[in-house]
């Protein structure tokens, strides 16, 4: 399958995102509306907008060594969108050394041919990257841009 990894959400961690009593990551509304919601089927969108339930999605680390099932849902009180649930708690606990206030989380989704076929049973899957500073994020962007723009030049040697 042909496709590419696309950025669907980015969040600079705030103290409230790391508060164990709140157990949620508040996403930027514009990221969710412009980048994440358009990836969903109608039934998935309805699950997200039902704040009692939400949509179970899988978030793995960049090297895919761990997968966490978190809930993605609309949060009516702020009109925003959150990741929460047991999976978010486990993810936050697993990466407690890396997830600190001011670090940046980036979530990527693989967009490929035929992924929106209604008959396919699939769970929305994303990769998470933790970036410790905006300077490192810029360096990562440069590396990603090389990978996107020059795959044939790299393989040609």
């Amino acid at each position: 399958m042909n496709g590419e990894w696309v950025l669907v959400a980015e969040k600079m961690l705030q103290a409230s995102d790391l508060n164990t009593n709140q157990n949620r990551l508040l996403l930027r509304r514009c990221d969710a509306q412009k980048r994440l919601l358009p990836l969903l089927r109608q039934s998935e969108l309805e699950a997200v907008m039902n704040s009692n339930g939400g949509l179970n999605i899988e978030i793995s680390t960049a090297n895919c060594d761990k997968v966490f099932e978190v809930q993605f849902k609309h949060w009516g009180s702020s009109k925003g969108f959150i990741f929460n649930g047991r999976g978010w708690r486990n993810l936050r606990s697993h990466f407690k050394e890396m997830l600190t206030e001011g670090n940046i989380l980036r979530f990527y989704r693989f967009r490929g041919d035929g992924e929106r076929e209604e008959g396919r049973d699939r769970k929305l899957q994303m990769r998470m990257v933790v970036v410790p500073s905006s300077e490192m994020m810029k360096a990562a962007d440069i590396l990603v841009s090389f990978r996107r723009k020059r795959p044939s030049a790299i393989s040609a040697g």
Side-chain angles (χ1 to χ4, degrees):
M1 172 169 38
N2 294 325
E4 66 177 338
W5 287 99
V6 293
L7 179 68
V8 294
E10 181 177 278
K11 172 68 191 264
M12 181 179 287
L13 291 173
Q14 307 293 318
S16 61
D17 297 317
L18 302 169
N19 184 332
T20 56
N21 293 324
Q22 293 187 15
N23 191 38
R24 56 107 180 108
L25 175 70
L26 179 61
L27 300 172
R28 294 186 328 186
R29 191 177 324 160
C30 62
D31 279 348
Q33 291 173 332
K34 292 179 182 175
R35 298 178 181 170
L36 201 46
L37 296 180
L39 296 173
L40 303 179
R41 298 180 189 148
Q42 185 61 36
S43 59
E44 294 169 327
L45 182 59
E46 290 169 5
V48 168
M49 299 310 286
N50 176 1
S51 60
N52 293 331
L55 176 67
N56 289 332
I57 63 172
E58 292 178 351
I59 297 177
S60 63
T61 56
N63 62 359
C64 295
D65 68 336
K66 275 291 209 193
V67 176
F68 301 90
E69 188 172 287
V70 303
Q71 287 190 312
F72 173 47
K73 62 176 142 181
H74 182 255
W75 201 25
S77 63
S78 72
K79 295 188 170 98
F81 295 86
I82 60 171
F83 290 151
N84 75 346
R86 178 177 289 140
W88 174 251
R89 185 179 320 122
N90 292 341
L91 184 150
R92 194 185 60 231
S93 175
H94 184 78
F95 293 104
K96 65 183 168 196
E97 301 298 320
M98 294 175 65
L99 300 181
T100 59
E101 190 173 350
N103 280 3
I104 299 165
L105 293 184
R106 281 186 152 186
F107 297 92
Y108 293 87
R109 167 75 169 104
F110 185 80
R111 183 170 52 201
D113 300 335
E115 72 176 348
R116 288 188 53 93
E117 295 173 18
E118 284 297 323
R120 293 178 59 196
D121 183 24
R122 58 101 170 131
K123 202 171 275 190
L124 183 62
Q125 298 174 341
M126 291 189 285
R127 298 267 170 87
M128 181 186 80
V129 177
V130 181
V131 184
S133 69
S134 59
E135 290 80 23
M136 289 200 58
M137 187 169 66
K138 290 174 188 172
D141 286 342
I142 291 168
L143 291 174
V144 168
S145 71
F146 283 137
R147 193 170 188 176
R148 281 188 190 147
K149 293 178 183 174
R150 301 187 44 103
S152 59
I154 293 170
S155 63

